[in-house]
Amino acid sequence: MRSQGPCLFICVRRELTDRGFQVAWEPTFPVPCPMMSRSSCLSRQPGAEDGGHGDGALLDTASLKMSDLDAELVPLPPRYRFRDLLLGDQSFQNDDRVQVEFYVNENTFKERLKLFFIKNQRSSLRIRLFNFSLKLLTCLLYIVRVLLDDPALGIGCWGCPKQNYTFNESSSEINWAPILWVERKTALWAIQVIVAIISFLETMLLIYLSYKGNIWEQIFRVAFILEMINTLPFIITIFWPPLRNLFIPVFLNCWLAKHALENMINDFHRAILRTQSAMFNQVLILFCTLLCLVFTGTCGIQHLERAGDNLSLLTSFYFCIVTFSTVGYGDVTPKIWPSQLLVVIMICVALVVLPLQFEELVYLWMERQKSGGNYSRHRAQTEKHVILCVSSLKIDLLMDFLNEFYAHPRLQDYYVVILCPTEMDIQVRRVLQIPLWSQRVIYLQGSALKDQDLMRAKMDNGEACFILSSRNEVDRTAADHQTILRAWAVKDFAPNCPLYVQILKPENKFHVKFAEHVVCEEECKYAMLALSCICPATPTLITLLVHTSRGQEGQDSPEQWQRMYGRCSGNEVYHIRMGDSKFFREYEGKSFTYAAFHAHKKYGVCLIGLKREENKSILLNPGPRHILAASDTCFYINITKEENSAFIFKQEEKQKKKGSAGQGLYEGSSRLPVHSIIASMGTVAMDLQNTECRPAQSGGGSGGSKLALPTENGSGSRRPSIAPVLEVADSSTLLPCDLLSDQSEDEMTPSDEEGLSVAEYVKGYPPNSPYIGSSPTLCHLLPVKAPFCCLRLDKGCKHNSYEDAKAYGFKNKLIIVSAETAGNGLYNFIVPLRAYYRPRRELNPIVLLLDNKPDHHFLEAICCFPMVYYMEGSVDNLDSLLQCGIIYADNLVVVDKESTMSAEEDYMADAKTIVSVQTMFRLFPSLSITTELTHPSNMRFMQFRAKDSYSLALSRLEKRERENGSNLAFMFRLPFAAGRVFSISMLDTLLYQSFVKDYMIPITRLLLGLDTTPGSGYLCAMKITEDDLWIRTYGRLFQKLCSSSAEIPIGIYRTECHVFSSEVSVSMGDREDAREAKGPWGSRAGTGGGGSTHGRHAVGGDSAEPPLLRRKSLPWARRLSRKGARHTGKAAAEWISQQRLSLYQRSERQELSELVKNRMKHLGLPTTGYDEMNDHQNTLSYVLINPPPDTRLEPNDIVYLIRSDPLAHVASSSRSRKSSCGNKLASCSPETRDETQF
């Protein structure tokens, strides 16, 4: 047996000096030598023929030179050389070095036996398996002996004459002979003796090996006593033959077999390095205990009844089962008192042992219910599953994940394993008991930092692992640190498992950059809120795009806007290879803009971007110079993906052509065809018209095709027609670089109003990034960094004496951001608003209203941006709002505060924010306020109206949509539809969708301006004015933008007039019709969408053509919010109360106005800027993503555009730029803005 301890070799060199022998110990480098015997160690001696180092592992460092190492190779050790195997190692006698071996473990015979029988897992497992087999064999031999033994044939010792015995029920005396003696065949006796000898020797050997000084502890063990009872008598019968027929209770070996089985299971789990299941062990113990009790009782009663009724083995088994099951038929009973005493003992033992084991089993079952048990390896190998790792699981987070994950058809067969360190919440437990989720969701209580828990979740077999941060923590940095450790632990345990990680703080993102997909919450949040100041309702637009929706929400509503809004919300981003697509295959070799327009016209899909096969970067609207190839991957917005669409082609009758020369495409006043989209069973059937593209006629002079002015839009004059979209780009008609040319003109000839202030800005990359991992973005910068003292808005310094926003004289409206601290994520709010593609004359001043003073690092990062200021104050303080210039602001962004996360009730975390915003909503009704909330369910309290029947009707609609299984039940809430409220938890679906659509995160980051890829476009907006209504429809607008400026529209932000209950009297229908005929819309100005850079635009009241929505919304609101018949007297009284309420509200607004003015006078601020505007609450706004081409345009519509990259074609000459500007629009004003004017 070889020792397991490592050996340490020490070279001993004998040096002969004039004083005699002196032994010098020179240790060389240690060579690990596990499992090596002493003889093998001593045989490894260097030889003289090897130059003193024949071993190759032991070198004399004193005499070895570097030249020797370079000159010759190190030879093999002696045991690997064929010469030494034949002749032996002859170099030992010629070497003067001595090898000394030290053993860590005692290398004795007893230790080696202990290693084999006890310590070694695999060998001890074999020993216990052999022991278990022996015990089972003895029990089987006992049954064979019982079946072969018949007391009626005679009873007596071995070699003695046999005596017959007959039981007499009337006699009270017991004949003990049938109990003491049995009939045992010689062959059977020989086998039992051999087995007994082996068991006895094994037991004694184990006693010897496990002896630790107390022999009595070993002797009085129950297992040792039973072993002696069942083995020693057999050994004695070898030397005393008459005792060979002596009864020996061999059936008691079943308890030893049970004990051996328990130890064998433990060794088995240790040998295969798996965590044993306590539940499995307890069930096994309980089953074995029951089996041993029944077997012991059966054999004991059968043997004792040999002196009674002589029951068979089967009859005794029947009696034990009936007795232990408490049935007790009474047909079989023991006749003599020893057997009766045994029954009493067995029942007492069962009453004591079984309840204890049942109690342990129930306890383990309850603990397993809490911890969730294990995910079986067999299921992991045959089924697919994903793992969700969270710090604490809330019901909202769980339902968002499950609804979004299982919304995709190909994920229906996946299992979701939740790994959470906390105990399952009551609401979560209730949800997971629903059959829909109980068969697909498995909850495991454990930590991702423990390999045992990761093994329970079968992380190495998982298809993906989602690691979510706890955003409800007060310290979000600590929450990120926990997420990072979880990601590291999962990557270390299962390096092939794809990771989907959610990070809160942007400075922690680079720690998990190895993950396949990472979503930084603060990056997306601030970029989205910043973009909402330029493109209104951007949070709503992105949320609808990243949510999986059926597109059936609101289809049963009588409200037209709800039906259209709900249908368009079903549009999502999909991808397909162009060569395999029916949508885009016919446009191979054509320009991107040409394919986008004609695909939208023919199929109703919106092509937004693509990805080259050789390039991994996604390009949004690469422009008309980009020629499509069959290998390109196209990204498009549609109600469903192409694979789930059925195409039904219809041939439309061709109109007769006027003239015999060419064929005109855009003749007459024909409208675009209506594309009917019918969603049913996950398949969309589209009726497609004949939309063959024909070359346009060349007009004289202008060189572009003309569109005849529709008769309903004018008298006899003609306006410029819409030019066709060219198949291949023409450099003379492209305008992707208009923005640069306009800006260059602004740089060369600044206006008199702006003077030198505009010319001072330069374009470049920000020199200081506040965190690692931020994407570089070309921005408008100051030529010289501003001093930190100049960044303070409300305090003057030696460079300027301005102390309020009025003194600065800003040309554009302010954008105010209210946040608790100046975190690194706030940097992403500034960058999109200062990007190079934003016109410099439209840059809005940014004021950061911070509760805490920003640190030096943050000021260093923002001091290079123009018109960025900060001020210490709170959003719930009126003085702070007035000092930061809220009366000169167009947008106010209220960011959720981390300190509110510690609310005792989770949903109360937004209480302070909601009340503060409601106050500002009352004080400054014309201000566009965008608010971030922690919980999406709290958005119903934004801009709350206590007596608004329409809001009550929307609440009921939301409940009905939730019952119908909608994932976006809150979408009809007016604040969300208008983009005035946002919750970052809505973007959790972005990470979930990445499992199916791995391109969603890059596309979202490109849309938000977080990433800038060369050649990729950006999101912007344009406003539709009265002069632009000659375009008429969204499809014609699509053509106009594609042909003139190569811009791709993706949706509309629409604002409509609406009358809420505070302005409507609930009276009879004829009275309402009379009021409608009077046209009250002309006396009250409507407001545009919140969040636009153009403020709120008035909606004119045309009494001749009132909005259609108004006539339908009022009865619908009354029908849903009020039940029962209304009498005339009650209606009149309610009408009077509404009038009084209106007068009260006007007096209340006057009181609030006086309060604001008094505070401004107290602070020394001029009151001229405060405008007492009417309470603009009579409008509703909503987002239409990819509306049908025949959608009519309305005034104040804001169109979302993806504009091509201005720097993609900077090499174009200035001449081509000027010519492109001339062909942009025939009736366009020379002033160019970020919003294209027609």
Side-chain angles (χ1 to χ4, degrees):
M1 195 67 190
R2 295 179 180 178
S3 172
Q4 276 189 322
C7 300
L8 180 65
F9 294 95
I10 302 177
C11 291
V12 181
R13 187 179 63 187
R14 299 176 181 175
E15 297 181 354
L16 186 60
T17 61
D18 53 347
R19 292 179 296 177
F21 282 99
Q22 179 180 2
V23 180
W25 300 79
E26 296 183 1
T28 64
F29 53 89
V31 180
C33 184
M35 301 295 292
M36 183 177 292
S37 64
R38 184 185 302 272
S39 60
S40 63
C41 294
L42 294 177
S43 64
R44 298 181 60 182
Q45 302 295 333
E49 68 276 5
D50 295 334
H53 47 274
D55 193 343
L58 304 176
L59 302 178
D60 190 353
T61 57
S63 60
L64 183 63
K65 299 180 181 179
M66 295 300 297
S67 59
D68 297 332
L69 287 176
D70 299 335
E72 54 184 76
L73 296 173
V74 180
L76 292 172
R79 58 175 176 171
Y80 294 110
R81 294 186 302 209
F82 182 73
R83 175 195 59 190
D84 296 314
L85 292 176
L86 295 180
L87 304 178
D89 190 6
Q90 304 295 328
S91 62
F92 178 79
Q93 57 188 357
N94 299 326
D95 191 17
D96 58 350
R97 288 182 297 174
V98 179
Q99 295 178 347
V100 182
E101 178 185 8
F102 296 96
Y103 290 97
V104 176
N105 297 325
E106 185 180 355
N107 194 20
T108 62
F109 180 72
K110 179 180 179 180
E111 290 296 329
R112 295 186 180 187
L113 287 178
K114 185 185 294 186
L115 175 68
F116 182 77
F117 281 90
I118 299 176
K119 294 182 179 181
N120 189 275
Q121 298 174 359
R122 297 186 180 273
S123 59
S124 63
L125 177 62
R126 299 188 187 102
I127 296 299
R128 296 185 190 278
L129 180 61
F130 176 72
N131 189 20
F132 175 74
S133 303
L134 282 181
K135 304 309 176 188
L136 290 182
L137 179 60
T138 57
C139 295
L140 181 62
L141 293 176
Y142 179 84
I143 295 175
V144 172
R145 198 274 308 163
V146 171
L147 295 177
L148 296 178
D149 185 12
D150 188 4
L153 299 179
I155 301 172
C157 62
W158 190 77
C160 300
K162 307 296 182 182
Q163 298 179 359
N164 294 329
Y165 170 75
T166 303
F167 173 66
N168 187 7
E169 294 184 3
S170 62
S171 176
S172 60
E173 296 182 358
I174 299 176
N175 188 358
W176 296 96
I179 299 177
L180 294 178
W181 303 103
V182 296
E183 180 65 24
R184 186 177 286 115
K185 304 297 180 181
T186 304
L188 183 62
W189 170 82
I191 297 175
Q192 287 183 324
V193 168
I194 295 174
V195 173
I197 293 174
I198 296 175
S199 298
F200 178 79
L201 294 178
E202 180 191 7
T203 303
M204 300 307 296
L205 179 60
L206 293 177
I207 289 293
Y208 167 71
L209 295 178
S210 59
Y211 171 69
K212 296 181 179 179
N214 190 356
I215 189 62
W216 299 108
E217 181 183 356
Q218 303 291 333
I219 291 176
F220 288 107
R221 290 173 55 210
V222 177
F224 180 77
I225 295 175
L226 290 178
E227 197 71 57
M228 293 299 103
I229 292 174
N230 293 323
T231 56
L232 278 179
F234 282 108
I235 298 176
I236 293 175
T237 58
I238 299 176
F239 306 102
W240 196 355
L243 297 180
R244 292 180 180 177
N245 284 346
L246 180 68
F247 170 73
I248 301 172
V250 183
F251 59 84
L252 295 178
N253 276 334
C254 65
W255 297 97
L256 296 177
K258 170 182 171 292
H259 180 68
L261 180 62
E262 295 177 9
N263 295 332
M264 184 178 65
I265 294 298
N266 294 335
D267 287 343
F268 175 73
H269 284 294
R270 286 194 307 157
I272 63 177
L273 299 179
R274 287 179 56 189
T275 305
Q276 63 178 2
S277 172
M279 190 70 187
F280 171 77
N281 284 359
Q282 192 61 34
V283 171
L284 181 64
I285 291 173
L286 179 61
F287 176 77
C288 292
T289 303
L290 285 173
L291 188 61
C292 291
L293 283 174
V294 173
F295 184 74
T296 302
T298 300
C299 296
I301 292 173
Q302 184 274 334
H303 180 72
L304 292 177
E305 282 297 313
R306 287 164 58 91
D309 277 349
N310 192 18
L311 300 177
S312 65
L313 199 63
L314 181 60
T315 305
S316 299
F317 176 73
Y318 165 75
F319 170 75
C320 290
I321 293 298
V322 170
T323 302
F324 286 149
S325 63
T326 68
V327 176
Y329 291 117
D331 53 345
V332 179
T333 56
K335 301 300 182 182
I336 59 176
W337 67 265
S339 58
Q340 295 172 353
L341 179 63
L342 178 63
V343 172
V344 172
I345 294 175
M346 296 301 297
I347 291 177
C348 292
V349 171
L351 290 178
V352 173
V353 175
L354 293 182
L356 293 177
Q357 295 192 358
F358 271 112
E359 180 185 5
E360 185 68 21
L361 182 62
V362 171
Y363 174 76
L364 290 176
W365 175 260
M366 295 176 63
E367 291 297 322
R368 182 177 181 179
Q369 288 296 104
K370 295 179 181 179
S371 62
N374 295 330
Y375 183 70
S376 65
R377 182 165 295 275
H378 173 71
R379 179 184 291 179
Q381 293 175 352
T382 57
E383 305 288 346
K384 296 181 180 181
H385 74 286
V386 298
I387 300 94
L388 176 64
C389 295
V390 290
S391 297
S392 60
L393 186 62
K394 301 297 182 182
I395 185 64
D396 295 336
L397 175 65
L398 176 63
M399 295 311 301
D400 287 344
F401 178 83
L402 295 180
N403 290 330
E404 184 63 35
F405 186 81
Y406 286 111
H408 300 276
R410 74 180 186 91
L411 301 182
Q412 298 302 314
D413 296 333
Y414 278 66
Y415 287 89
V416 174
V417 179
I418 302 173
L419 186 61
C420 181
T422 60
E423 188 176 345
M424 191 186 307
D425 185 60
I426 297 178
Q427 294 181 341
V428 174
R429 186 186 303 275
R430 188 182 299 115
V431 168
L432 294 185
Q433 289 176 352
I434 300 175
L436 176 63
W437 307 122
S438 61
Q439 304 298 325
R440 297 192 284 186
V441 182
I442 301 172
Y443 187 94
L444 303 181
Q445 183 178 353
S447 174
L449 272 64
K450 295 182 179 180
D451 287 352
Q452 296 178 353
D453 294 332
L454 295 178
M455 189 179 299
R456 288 170 53 205
K458 303 301 179 291
M459 185 68 70
D460 50 344
N461 298 107
E463 298 294 323
C465 177
F466 296 89
I467 303 179
L468 306 183
S469 297
S470 178
R471 65 168 55 92
N472 295 328
E473 296 289 339
V474 178
D475 189 357
R476 297 194 177 188
T477 302
D480 272 350
H481 293 168
Q482 298 175 10
T483 302
I484 292 170
L485 288 184
R486 289 191 183 96
W488 289 354
V490 172
K491 197 65 177 179
D492 177 72
F493 181 83
N496 297 325
C497 181
L499 283 181
Y500 297 76
V501 183
Q502 180 190 69
I503 288 291
L504 302 180
K505 296 285 187 179
E507 58 267 23
N508 299 321
K509 187 177 64 172
F510 78 100
H511 290 293
V512 291
K513 63 180 181 180
F514 56 84
E516 280 71 14
H517 298 279
V518 179
V519 173
C520 182
E521 181 177 289
E522 287 197 0
E523 272 190 345
C524 297
K525 174 180 70 176
Y526 281 107
M528 195 176 303
L529 294 174
L531 207 57
S532 66
C533 300
I534 301 175
C535 305
T538 299
T540 302
L541 172 69
I542 299 298
T543 302
L544 295 178
L545 278 178
V546 301
H547 268 78
T548 300
S549 173
R550 302 169 300 164
Q552 298 298 310
E553 287 81 0
Q555 297 306 301
D556 298 333
S557 173
E559 294 279 330
Q560 181 182 0
W561 77 270
Q562 292 176 359
R563 295 194 301 270
M564 179 176 289
Y565 173 54
R567 184 184 62 181
C568 293
S569 68
N571 284 277
E572 299 179 43
V573 181
Y574 300 99
H575 77 291
I576 193 171
R577 187 176 178 273
M578 183 181 175
D580 304 330
S581 171
K582 293 183 179 179
F583 287 159
F584 314 109
R585 182 170 51 196
E586 57 185 298
Y587 307 118
E588 181 181 357
K590 311 292 178 58
S591 66
F592 176 87
T593 309
Y594 180 87
F597 165 66
H598 286 280
H600 183 267
K601 180 182 178 182
K602 186 174 182 179
Y603 301 102
V605 301
C606 180
L607 179 63
I608 62 172
L610 54 81
K611 181 175 66 174
R612 287 291 194 188
E613 185 179 15
E614 66 277 0
N615 191 3
K616 296 182 179 180
S617 300
I618 297 176
L619 303 179
L620 297 181
N621 187 13
R625 288 188 174 86
H626 190 96
I627 305 301
L628 297 179
S631 60
D632 290 348
T633 301
C634 298
F635 301 97
Y636 60 95
I637 298 177
N638 195 22
I639 197 72
T640 185
K641 58 182 179 180
E642 181 182 329
E643 292 82 349
N644 295 343
S645 303
F647 297 89
I648 305 173
F649 293 90
K650 293 182 179 181
Q651 193 75 13
E652 192 181 37
E653 294 184 1
K654 298 182 179 180
Q655 298 180 354
K656 295 182 179 181
K657 283 74 179 178
K658 296 181 180 181
S660 57
Q663 295 179 347
L665 176 61
Y666 306 101
E667 296 182 276
S669 60
S670 60
R671 296 176 56 188
L672 289 177
V674 179
H675 295 5
S676 62
I677 303 178
I678 306 170
S680 175
M681 301 298 290
T683 302
V684 174
M686 288 181 284
D687 298 338
L688 306 177
Q689 309 290 340
N690 179 24
T691 55
E692 296 180 357
C693 183
R694 290 165 289 184
Q697 292 180 348
S698 300
S702 63
S705 63
K706 299 292 182 181
L707 179 65
L709 184 66
T711 58
E712 65 271 17
N713 286 352
S715 54
S717 59
R718 306 177 64 88
R719 293 188 180 181
S721 62
I722 303 178
V725 183
L726 300 181
E727 296 184 6
V728 182
D730 185 1
S731 60
S732 62
T733 58
L734 291 179
L735 296 179
C737 52
D738 281 349
L739 187 59
L740 287 181
S741 62
D742 293 341
Q743 290 175 351
S744 62
E745 292 175 1
D746 292 341
E747 293 174 8
M748 293 181 293
T749 59
S751 61
D752 296 336
E753 287 184 346
E754 296 172 351
L756 297 177
S757 59
V758 176
E760 291 176 355
Y761 303 155
V762 297
K763 293 179 182 178
Y765 293 97
N768 298 316
S769 177
Y771 60 92
I772 301 175
S774 61
S775 300
T777 304
L778 192 64
C779 300
H780 295 288
L781 303 176
L782 293 173
V784 179
K785 292 183 180 179
F788 290 171
C789 58
C790 296
L791 299 179
R792 186 71 181 260
L793 180 70
D794 57 337
K795 288 186 179 180
C797 62
K798 61 181 181 180
H799 304 95
N800 62 67
S801 59
Y802 304 145
E803 295 185 355
D804 58 82
K806 179 66 175 178
Y808 282 86
F810 296 122
K811 303 300 181 183
N812 297 329
K813 292 286 188 177
L814 275 67
I815 295 176
I816 301 177
V817 185
S818 174
E820 185 176 16
T821 57
N824 292 328
L826 198 55
Y827 175 81
N828 294 287
F829 185 91
I830 301 174
V831 170
L833 298 178
R834 294 294 180 264
Y836 72 97
Y837 43 76
R838 307 293 177 195
R840 294 190 305 180
R841 66 178 62 186
E842 296 183 3
L843 296 182
N844 298 86
I846 302 174
V847 179
L848 310 179
L849 184 61
L850 307 174
D851 292 358
N852 303 314
K853 185 177 180 180
D855 56 6
H856 182 274
H857 182 65
F858 179 77
L859 295 178
E860 184 69 25
I862 68 171
C863 65
C864 59
F865 294 103
M867 291 189 298
V868 177
Y869 308 94
Y870 79 93
M871 174 185 162
E872 295 182 34
S874 177
V875 70
D876 53 358
N877 189 337
L878 180 57
D879 293 350
S880 300
L881 293 174
L882 293 175
Q883 287 179 346
C884 71
I886 192 171
I887 61 176
Y888 310 110
D890 193 25
N891 292 274
L892 173 63
V893 177
V894 181
V895 182
D896 193 14
K897 297 182 180 181
E898 297 182 15
S899 59
T900 60
M901 300 296 178
S902 59
E904 295 182 359
E905 187 178 350
D906 290 340
Y907 292 92
M908 284 296 176
D910 298 320
K912 185 177 181 180
T913 302
I914 292 174
V915 175
S916 299
V917 173
Q918 182 74 2
T919 303
M920 289 185 292
F921 179 68
R922 303 288 295 276
L923 293 176
F924 309 99
S926 62
L927 181 65
S928 173
I929 306 175
T930 304
T931 310
E932 181 205 359
L933 298 179
T934 303
H935 300 282
S937 59
N938 289 334
M939 67 175 59
R940 64 183 185 271
F941 303 118
M942 300 302 300
Q943 302 177 6
F944 183 73
R945 302 180 182 92
K947 297 183 179 180
D948 185 8
S949 59
Y950 194 78
S951 298
L952 180 60
L954 290 177
S955 177
R956 296 186 178 183
L957 176 63
E958 178 181 352
K959 295 176 183 178
R960 187 165 63 247
E961 292 297 337
R962 186 179 292 109
E963 292 174 356
N964 294 335
S966 173
N967 299 341
L968 292 169
F970 54 82
M971 63 178 293
F972 292 103
R973 290 288 182 179
L974 297 182
F976 173 78
R980 300 188 184 100
V981 66
F982 166 70
S983 177
I984 190 60
S985 61
M986 299 175 185
L987 278 188
D988 289 345
T989 56
L990 176 62
L991 190 66
Y992 310 153
Q993 275 207 356
S994 300
F995 181 67
V996 178
K997 304 176 182 179
D998 56 355
Y999 48 83
M1000 281 305 301
I1001 294 180
I1003 288 181
T1004 304
R1005 292 181 63 89
L1006 288 174
L1007 287 174
L1008 297 179
L1010 291 173
D1011 291 339
T1012 54
T1013 303
S1016 178
Y1018 60 94
L1019 182 65
C1020 61
M1022 57 166 285
K1023 185 186 65 173
I1024 300 297
T1025 62
E1026 293 285 351
D1027 296 335
D1028 304 325
L1029 293 182
W1030 66 273
I1031 299 291
R1032 297 200 310 271
T1033 62
Y1034 182 76
R1036 290 166 56 84
L1037 174 67
F1038 205 114
Q1039 179 187 355
K1040 182 64 179 176
L1041 293 174
C1042 290
S1043 61
S1044 60
S1045 56
E1047 297 168 338
I1048 306 297
I1050 62 173
I1052 297 176
Y1053 178 73
R1054 176 159 293 177
T1055 301
E1056 292 182 352
C1057 294
H1058 188 77
V1059 179
F1060 296 97
S1061 63
S1062 60
E1063 302 170 9
V1064 178
S1065 61
V1066 184
S1067 59
M1068 300 180 61
D1070 54 350
R1071 188 175 300 179
E1072 292 173 355
D1073 294 338
R1075 285 198 305 273
E1076 287 181 5
K1078 293 178 182 178
W1081 301 99
S1083 60
R1084 182 176 295 274
T1087 60
S1092 171
T1093 55
H1094 306 280
R1096 297 178 176 266
H1097 308 284
V1099 180
D1102 187 2
S1103 59
E1105 189 178 356
L1108 178 63
L1109 173 66
R1110 181 186 176 199
R1111 298 188 179 185
K1112 294 183 177 180
S1113 62
L1114 302 182
W1116 177 72
R1118 287 199 312 275
R1119 184 169 59 253
L1120 289 181
S1121 60
R1122 297 180 177 85
K1123 295 182 180 179
R1126 299 292 183 181
H1127 301 286
T1128 306
K1130 186 177 180 180
E1134 196 164 340
W1135 179 81
I1136 296 174
S1137 64
Q1138 292 288 346
Q1139 295 296 328
R1140 291 178 179 178
L1141 180 60
S1142 179
L1143 293 175
Y1144 169 74
Q1145 288 179 347
R1146 283 198 292 269
S1147 62
E1148 184 183 63
R1149 285 195 293 270
Q1150 292 176 0
E1151 182 179 355
L1152 294 175
S1153 176
E1154 292 297 328
L1155 172 64
V1156 174
K1157 288 186 176 181
N1158 290 335
R1159 293 309 305 165
M1160 294 177 68
K1161 293 177 181 179
H1162 178 74
L1163 297 174
L1165 300 176
T1167 59
T1168 55
Y1170 184 68
D1171 186 15
E1172 296 183 60
M1173 298 181 64
N1174 292 329
D1175 193 1
H1176 292 174
Q1177 301 177 14
N1178 61 337
T1179 61
L1180 61 85
S1181 304
Y1182 52 94
V1183 176
L1184 300 177
I1185 302 177
N1186 188 29
D1190 61 332
T1191 303
R1192 301 285 298 190
L1193 297 178
E1194 296 183 3
N1196 300 318
D1197 279 352
I1198 297 178
V1199 182
Y1200 299 105
L1201 305 173
I1202 299 181
R1203 184 169 291 166
S1204 57
D1205 184 11
L1207 297 181
H1209 312 288
V1210 175
S1212 301
S1213 62
S1214 60
R1215 180 178 180 182
S1216 63
R1217 292 178 181 175
K1218 293 181 181 180
S1219 62
S1220 63
C1221 292
N1223 293 329
K1224 183 177 182 181
L1225 292 173
S1227 61
C1228 181
S1229 61
E1231 179 184 2
T1232 56
R1233 298 174 58 86
D1234 191 22
E1235 296 178 349
T1236 305
Q1237 303 287 339
F1238 292 109

